[in-house]
Amino acid sequence: MSASLRDERAARLRAAMALAGLDLLVLSGNAWRSDYLRFALDITPMEGQVVALFSQRESKVFVESPTEAARLHAEQPQLIVAWSVDPLAQANAEIAASAARHVGLAPAHSMPLALARGPFGQSMAQTTAMLDRLMVCKSPAEADAVERATAMADAGYAVFRDVACVGKKEYELIGELEAWFRAQGCPENFMIMGSGGTEVRTMRPPGERRLAAGDLVTTELTPCVDGYYAQICRTLVLGEPTRMQLDAYAIYVQALEAGIAAVKPGATHGDVARAQNDVFRRHGLGEYVTSKYTRVRGHGMGLYVDGPHVLEDVDLVLEPDMTLVVHPNTYHPVAGYIVLGDTVRVTETGCKVLTRTSRQLASVSLRCASALPA
């Protein structure tokens, strides 16, 4: 990530801390969830628990191993990085020794108990909400980074489509795509998929199943570029699509278009979800937009999945430069699970669709591709 973008985020965080009257911010994370650390300090843990103390003057980072400390120091020499077999105790001691009177902790949902049960644990919810707001309300430079990640998602889906063929195992397909992403300098990409017919009700990590003629093959690709994620959701058919598949898929195109049309400043996540769900209801498919068959109608995109999901009861108000994916992904009773989703950027007057891949139901040859594209 560029130093200018890192410094911009740190300045925004310090301004928010000053407004909230915070002297010190305590952040935690690990390899599974690091977006709060990345927002403040551009730190992505590789192993163990990491705790960072962030103030107006300096930042200190506590890790569990000397190799992790050496890696972080090499990436950012200006950081004060210390390692300990008990970084939580070390962080607690540092907090106690500091002159800070008002301390915030975040994130509330994954703060270690050793810190959460301390004297400043009561500040977690308020501080987490402050960080969440900063991550959802992006600067123009952050939204630009999501645009770059979306271009990578488009390119990745073209590869996915080119290497999908009858007889290939799901994990082989995803393996080829993973190799391509890494060759492009993109080692971070979340991928789930599905293949088959009406028996398929969701997406998941790839398995041993071999792709078969007539399959709907679905995927959700989420590559990370410059620290920011973008997502594309698409469905293809192995061979020529049937009239039933085309008719079912057309409803998803209508739902996506309705959802995107609802994205504008002042609208809410609930408005975007309702616009999509209403399309299914008009086609007599209201049951299939319930939690029994579908999870969400989209979500924020950024350093992680930003903010609350796109659901009808979510009142998050959209603002310019927020970025999200709109996806009416759900089960169809005569076709199976279908996905279709674009990443968008909220503008002053509406939204800019960042995803460039065609929304048509793609069909691919039944023959296997001989090689990856260059």
Side-chain angles (χ1 to χ4, degrees):
M1 184 177 298
S2 70
S4 62
L5 190 52
R6 179 174 65 235
D7 293 345
E8 175 194 281
R9 289 203 311 261
R12 288 172 58 205
L13 180 53
R14 289 191 170 99
M17 289 174 62
L19 190 62
L22 292 174
D23 303 312
L24 181 67
L25 184 59
V26 182
L27 302 166
S28 72
N30 50 45
W32 295 102
R33 188 70 190 267
S34 63
D35 46 322
Y36 291 79
L37 288 170
R38 287 195 290 146
F39 183 86
L41 295 169
D42 196 19
I43 291 175
T44 303
M46 299 297 290
E47 58 177 301
Q49 189 72 35
V50 175
V51 179
L53 307 186
F54 185 93
S55 72
Q56 297 290 350
R57 300 180 306 279
E58 63 180 7
S59 300
K60 296 182 179 180
V61 181
F62 303 97
V63 300
E64 291 185 17
S65 76
T67 54
E68 187 78 335
R71 180 183 67 83
L72 292 177
H73 182 71
E75 291 177 356
Q76 297 192 54
Q78 80 281 4
L79 282 180
I80 302 172
V81 184
W83 78 272
S84 167
V85 293
D86 191 349
L88 302 180
Q90 192 174 12
N92 267 326
E94 187 73 23
I95 296 168
S98 74
R101 298 178 58 190
H102 302 286
V103 180
L105 283 71
H109 48 70
S110 57
M111 179 64 61
L113 286 177
L115 295 171
R117 290 179 174 173
F120 303 104
Q122 71 275 7
S123 69
M124 283 198 300
Q126 175 186 350
T127 311
T128 301
M130 180 188 77
L131 263 295
D132 287 344
R133 178 71 180 168
L134 288 170
M135 288 192 284
V136 168
C137 297
K138 295 175 182 63
S139 71
E142 289 184 289
D144 288 345
V146 175
E147 289 208 25
R148 294 191 292 274
T150 307
M152 180 66 74
D154 279 325
Y157 187 72
V159 174
F160 181 93
R161 187 179 57 228
D162 288 344
V163 299
C165 61
V166 169
K168 185 170 289 185
K169 292 184 177 180
E170 290 179 346
Y171 76 83
E172 293 174 330
L173 170 59
I174 295 299
E176 291 185 63
L177 180 57
E178 176 74 10
W180 182 86
F181 272 124
R182 288 179 179 271
Q184 310 311 304
C186 178
E188 214 174 328
N189 171 50
F190 174 77
M191 291 183 285
I192 51 177
M193 68 168 296
S195 67
T198 54
E199 77 282 3
V200 179
R201 294 191 171 224
T202 186
M203 289 186 291
R204 48 170 172 67
E208 295 275 344
R209 183 182 183 276
R210 291 188 182 275
L211 304 185
D215 277 355
L216 289 178
V217 184
T218 60
T219 189
E220 184 175 282
L221 304 181
T222 318
C224 182
V225 175
D226 296 333
Y228 288 82
Y229 292 88
Q231 189 170 98
I232 182 172
C233 305
R234 286 293 187 272
T235 301
L236 61 82
V237 179
L238 292 177
E240 288 299 315
T242 65
R243 173 47 53 189
M244 175 268 294
Q245 289 172 329
L246 289 169
D247 290 345
Y249 188 79
I251 298 171
Y252 292 75
V253 175
Q254 293 175 32
L256 177 58
E257 291 174 348
I260 289 174
V263 175
K264 56 187 175 183
T268 67
H269 272 205
D271 295 331
V272 178
R274 195 171 302 107
Q276 297 173 76
N277 292 342
D278 282 347
V279 171
F280 289 94
R281 294 181 184 119
R282 287 197 296 272
H283 286 275
L285 298 169
E287 177 184 359
Y288 299 95
V289 299
T290 64
S291 59
K292 180 179 179 180
Y293 292 98
T294 187
R295 195 173 65 86
V296 298
R297 315 314 273 162
H299 47 78
M301 295 305 310
L303 293 169
Y304 193 68
V305 174
D306 291 328
H309 294 311
V310 177
L311 293 166
E312 290 193 29
D313 60 352
V314 174
D315 59 3
L316 176 68
V317 177
L318 298 176
E319 299 178 14
D321 290 323
M322 284 185 176
T323 51
L324 63 150
V325 62
V326 180
H327 59 47
N329 302 345
T330 193
Y331 183 75
H332 190 283
V334 298
Y337 198 78
I338 293 175
V339 307
L340 180 65
D342 288 354
T343 296
V344 303
R345 175 178 182 171
V346 184
T347 65
E348 295 290 341
T349 58
C351 81
K352 176 182 179 182
V353 179
L354 306 183
T355 303
R356 299 301 181 196
T357 300
S358 170
R359 294 176 190 159
Q360 289 186 335
L361 179 59
S363 61
V364 300
S365 169
L366 297 181
R367 294 183 300 170
C368 229
S370 59
L372 278 170

